[in-house]
Amino acid sequence: MSTIKNKKSIYFKAAIGIFITISLIIFSEQGFEAAVQGLHTWWEIVFPALLPFFIMAEILMGLGVVHFLGALLEPLMRPLFKLPGVGAFAFAMGLASGYPIGAKITGNLRRDKLCTQVEGERLIAFCNTADPLFMIGAVAVGMFSKPELGLILATAHYISCIIIGLTMRFYDPPNSNEDVTTSPYEEKGLIKHAFAELYRARKNDGRPLGKLMGESIMESVNTLLLIGGYIILFSVFTKILHLMGITKLLTFILTPILKLFSIDKSLILPIISGLFEITNGADLASQTNAPLIQQIIITSGIIAWSGFSVHAQVATMVNGTDIRTKPYIWARVLHGIVASIVTAIIFNPLRNINSLNAIPAFANQGYQISKLSLRIDYLQRIEILSLGMITFLGGLIAISLIFYIIQKITIITIKT
């Protein structure tokens, strides 16, 4: 029975491959234009935005800094998310830099045996997020021309992200590889344990700084080339599906479902496009005639879902590990639903808050906003994201230390 199933799967995949190839030949001109558009998105936005963070993540891993941060954050991450402290580094980098750096760091943590298989699956479910500049700048300002919507999108995205993280702590499937042992910080004190972990990790790595930097740059560029390939491929694939009439078929199927929730039918095309790629889906949502609240709810769900393009990138980032992608896919579905619900709840209370009025001012100093992308001055973007990441990590460390002190006081009180 299993042999027959495997044969059908092989034949089906081969048929899909042939279908896509023939479609590329038929619609070669439109496919070329879509590929160029995907290339521009990767080269002008994704590559400069992610490269420095990819490089620094690799260097910090080699220097033992991630291990140091992991030890400091253990008292916070373990009780809240059932994750090792190093998970906070992946979470912070994911929040600051966006897709798919959270997945890449999670894959590296698993390869270095800093988390178990289940912990890696829990972590990747909520640390692979959209970055705030994309939601505030590209979507709220560039697509909707309403800066105040950025606060709604970002708040809903990160609240729902934390909800997913707290939900995934109950994820504990049987027959998983639990091969990680951690030294308890209670025996030697948190700070001393953190420095011991840094020294141990650096000693085990052993690469000279020049070699570490060179290999980090090479690994990061190779990863980004791979991401670029995915962006271009799915840009072409989405265009072909539209030209082949597949989107019309999906529209026919989804129309009765959306009617049940009183959602404007003009949002069907953005939903279908967002299934594959978030930028196109969000941009199409901003161009519909649907009520604004429905546009934002759908856009929030699309951003949280992140699209098959990002899912394919995530699968590549964890390739070579035992982290399974099925829990991640289900977490994306749940994240999309929760983000949409949270957006509906907070939309009216936050609608008139003008705390993001500074965004257009930044635009005059280097932000050039278009309907499809946000070109940000390179150094300005790095500065904003770096400060955000440092602030977030600093806040987590402070909370973790408070947790640790409370725990120590409780233990001392019980003993006396």
Side-chain angles (χ1 to χ4, degrees), residues 10 13 36 51 119 149 167 209 214 310 327-328 337 371 388 401:
I10 291 171
K13 291 174 183 177
V36 171
L51 180 61
E119 288 171 347
L149 297 179
T167 303
L209 185 58
V310 172
Y328 168 79
I337 295 171
K371 290 296 290 180
L401 290 174

Side-chain angles (χ1 to χ4, degrees), residues 246-258 268:
I246 303 298
T247 53
K248 291 183 179 179
L249 175 62
L250 293 174
T251 299
F252 177 77
I253 296 172
L254 289 175
T255 299
I257 299 174
L258 294 185
I268 294 178

Side-chain angles (χ1 to χ4, degrees), residues 128-146:
N128 200 52
T129 63
D131 70 273
L133 283 182
F134 171 75
M135 290 182 284
I136 296 171
V139 179
V141 179
M143 298 176 187
F144 284 90
S145 300
K146 297 180 183 294

Side-chain angles (χ1 to χ4, degrees), residues 144 263-268 270 283-295:
F144 284 90
I263 297 176
D264 195 287
K265 65 179 182 179
S266 65
L267 289 166
I268 294 178
D283 186 56
L284 288 173
S286 70
Q287 299 176 37
T288 63
N289 295 321
L292 182 61
I293 185 172
Q294 292 189 15
Q295 290 178 311

Side-chain angles (χ1 to χ4, degrees), residues 86-391:
V86 290
F89 178 72
F91 188 33
M93 291 290 282
L95 291 179
S97 306
Y99 307 116
I101 193 169
K104 177 172 175 56
I105 294 174
T106 302
N108 289 344
L109 294 178
R110 180 56 187 151
R111 292 183 188 95
D112 291 344
K113 299 188 182 300
L114 295 177
C115 65
T116 66
Q117 179 187 23
V118 173
E119 288 171 347
E121 290 167 0
R122 289 183 192 135
L123 181 59
I124 200 174
F126 76 102
C127 76
N128 200 52
T129 63
D131 70 273
L133 283 182
F134 171 75
M135 290 182 284
I136 296 171
V139 179
V141 179
M143 298 176 187
F144 284 90
S145 300
K146 297 180 183 294
E148 67 274 11
L149 297 179
L151 179 64
I152 298 172
L153 289 170
T155 302
H157 189 75
Y158 295 131
I159 287 176
S160 57
C161 179
I162 293 173
I163 291 173
I164 298 304
L166 294 172
T167 303
M168 288 298 292
R169 75 187 307 275
F170 301 104
Y171 168 74
D172 191 17
N175 303 321
S176 299
N177 299 326
E178 303 292 328
D179 57 355
V180 178
T181 57
T182 57
S183 60
Y185 58 82
E186 291 88 350
E187 295 180 3
K188 57 179 77 172
L190 184 63
I191 304 298
K192 189 175 180 180
H193 171 64
F195 279 103
E197 285 295 300
L198 186 151
Y199 176 78
R200 181 186 63 81
R202 181 63 188 130
K203 189 176 180 181
N204 289 341
D205 185 276
R207 288 176 291 177
L209 185 58
K211 182 179 180 182
L212 175 61
M213 291 181 64
E215 291 182 355
S216 297
I217 293 172
M218 184 165 34
E219 173 69 19
S220 300
V221 171
N222 286 338
T223 301
L224 281 167
L225 286 172
L226 186 65
I227 291 172
Y230 277 119
I231 291 174
I232 294 170
L233 175 64
F234 275 87
S235 180
V236 174
F237 186 56
T238 305
K239 185 69 174 180
I240 288 175
L241 286 179
H242 178 68
L243 294 171
M244 294 287 291
I246 303 298
T247 53
K248 291 183 179 179
L249 175 62
L250 293 174
T251 299
F252 177 77
I253 296 172
L254 289 175
T255 299
I257 299 174
L258 294 185
K259 279 185 178 179
L260 293 175
F261 298 96
S262 300
I263 297 176
D264 195 287
K265 65 179 182 179
S266 65
L267 289 166
I268 294 178
L269 183 58
I271 292 173
I272 295 171
S273 181
L275 287 174
F276 297 94
E277 210 280 318
I278 58 174
T279 306
N280 290 334
D283 186 56
L284 288 173
S286 70
Q287 299 176 37
T288 63
N289 295 321
L292 182 61
I293 185 172
Q294 292 189 15
Q295 290 178 311
I296 296 302
I297 288 173
I298 295 301
T299 300
S300 183
I302 289 172
I303 293 172
W305 161 250
S306 71
F308 288 124
S309 176
V310 172
H311 300 341
Q313 295 170 33
V314 169
T316 304
M317 296 300 107
V318 300
N319 186 37
T321 72
D322 53 5
I323 295 176
R324 293 161 291 203
T325 55
K326 185 180 289 186
Y328 168 79
I329 298 295
W330 282 113
R332 292 300 93 211
V333 173
L334 182 60
H335 193 184
I337 295 171
V338 174
S340 297
I341 294 172
V342 173
T343 302
I345 294 172
I346 68 173
F347 181 83
N348 287 324
L350 296 183
R351 177 68 177 88
N352 296 320
I353 292 180
N354 295 317
S355 59
L356 297 178
N357 281 341
I359 294 294
F362 286 150
N364 295 330
Q365 300 174 12
Y367 289 72
Q368 296 178 345
I369 299 167
S370 69
K371 290 296 290 180
L372 292 177
S373 66
L374 179 70
R375 296 185 180 91
I376 302 173
D377 178 79
Y378 182 73
L379 295 178
Q380 216 171 23
R381 182 183 181 101
I382 297 301
E383 179 184 359
I384 295 171
L385 293 180
S386 299
L387 287 175
M389 184 189 68
I390 293 170
T391 302

